[in-house]
Amino acid sequence: GENVEQHPSTLSVQEGDSAVIKCTYSDSASNYFPWYKQELGKGPQLIIDIRSNVGEKKDQRIAVTLNKTAKHFSLHITETQPEDSAVYFCAASRGYSSASKIIFGSGTRLSIRP
Amino acid sequence: KAGVTQTPRYLIKTRGQQVTLSCSPISGHRSVSWYQQTPGQGLQFLFEYFSETQRNKGNFPGRFSGRQFSNSRSEMNVSTLELGDSALYLCASSRGTSDNNEQFFGPGTRLTVL
């Protein structure tokens, strides 16, 4: 079946440094790639997303890049802060209309060292 | 605007029992989806409802069922509980339109089966 691989599973960075999380998807028809942040005791929250007609998208300290040829997409967090500590999930979806089409990665636990 | 709410937040049951979980979506959202989250399997899609109709179902046994009411509130039921059903059950709501399916997650219900 279709799947999304996410690396690394854990990541520890010094406060102020950058963090990068990478995902690879298998379904070449995927055209929507959301990223979620899940804090302890809470549900996942969408932090940024990208559609297949765009190669890069930025929102303040967060950016996502997409390489459709290689079927790779990545999350970049710059100037990390303690509140960035959480589990991050990437996902790939074929279309925008159904939750059933969203395949999630296995998650990356990001820790920010003070 | 109130977010997605789920009740109860925590639940402890024994094998063989059944359980009902409840989800209230964001006002105006007509689509509700349910996910099971476990450390080993990650986020797995259970089912999706739109305007009281089940639109899609994931690969889970028939012990897992759900429904949606006319006010878009949804319930999911698990019968004959097994130890492996212990998980965080997440509900997400969205507008469910063809160009906007952003998932807004609730905090989840932590189910423990003893």
Side-chain angles (χ1 to χ4, degrees):
Chain A
E2 307 300 348
N3 74 310
V4 174
E5 292 189 1
Q6 182 172 349
H7 299 282
S9 57
T10 60
L11 180 60
S12 177
V13 302
Q14 194 75 33
E15 183 178 350
D17 288 349
S18 296
V20 179
I21 302 170
K22 299 183 179 182
C23 291
T24 304
Y25 60 98
S26 60
D27 183 0
S28 56
S30 296
N31 56 1
Y32 174 60
F33 306 90
W35 285 87
Y36 295 88
K37 175 184 181 182
Q38 187 173 23
E39 297 175 292
L40 199 60
K42 297 183 179 180
Q45 178 186 9
L46 180 72
I47 55 172
I48 194 168
D49 57 13
I50 191 168
R51 299 194 178 194
S52 60
N53 56 348
V54 175
E56 183 176 1
K57 185 177 179 181
K58 286 184 181 180
D59 183 4
Q60 299 181 351
R61 297 185 297 109
I62 294 173
V64 58
T65 58
L66 171 65
N67 182 331
K68 285 214 72 180
T69 303
K71 293 192 279 188
H72 290 169
F73 59 115
S74 301
L75 177 72
H76 305 252
I77 306 174
T78 58
E79 300 173 12
T80 53
Q81 299 170 3
E83 54 264 37
D84 295 330
S85 293
V87 178
Y88 291 80
F89 293 93
C90 64
S93 176
R94 180 190 291 205
Y96 317 112
S97 61
S98 174
S100 66
K101 306 296 187 198
I102 302 175
I103 308 297
F104 290 89
S106 54
T108 296
R109 184 173 298 278
L110 175 63
S111 300
I112 307 301
R113 302 190 304 272
Chain B
K1 195 175 189 180
V4 177
T5 58
Q6 292 186 244
T7 56
R9 292 293 312 277
Y10 302 92
L11 208 47
I12 299 175
K13 293 284 187 179
T14 57
R15 279 182 301 174
Q17 287 187 307
Q18 68 93 27
V19 67
T20 299
L21 312 181
S22 182
C23 172
S24 292
I26 291 172
S27 177
H29 284 189
R30 296 168 65 187
S31 176
V32 172
S33 300
W34 289 89
Y35 299 83
Q36 182 193 66
Q37 186 176 30
T38 59
Q41 298 297 318
L43 270 159
Q44 292 192 287
F45 171 78
L46 277 157
F47 21 67
E48 177 183 22
Y49 289 89
F50 182 83
S51 294
E52 300 179 70
T53 301
Q54 188 179 86
R55 197 153 71 168
N56 288 289
K57 190 178 193 305
N59 190 23
F60 278 81
R63 300 185 296 107
F64 292 80
S65 62
R67 57 179 176 169
Q68 186 180 31
F69 302 96
S70 58
N71 61 359
S72 293
R73 192 178 67 85
S74 178
E75 289 181 346
M76 69 163 278
N77 184 277
V78 188
S79 62
T80 321
L81 284 166
E82 300 177 359
L83 295 178
D85 296 333
S86 293
L88 181 67
Y89 289 88
L90 292 161
C91 161
S93 76
S94 71
R95 294 195 180 278
T97 59
S98 60
D99 63 346
N100 185 348
N101 197 32
E102 179 181 343
Q103 302 288 302
F104 292 84
F105 285 87
T109 294
R110 172 77 60 186
L111 172 64
T112 301
V113 182
L114 303 176

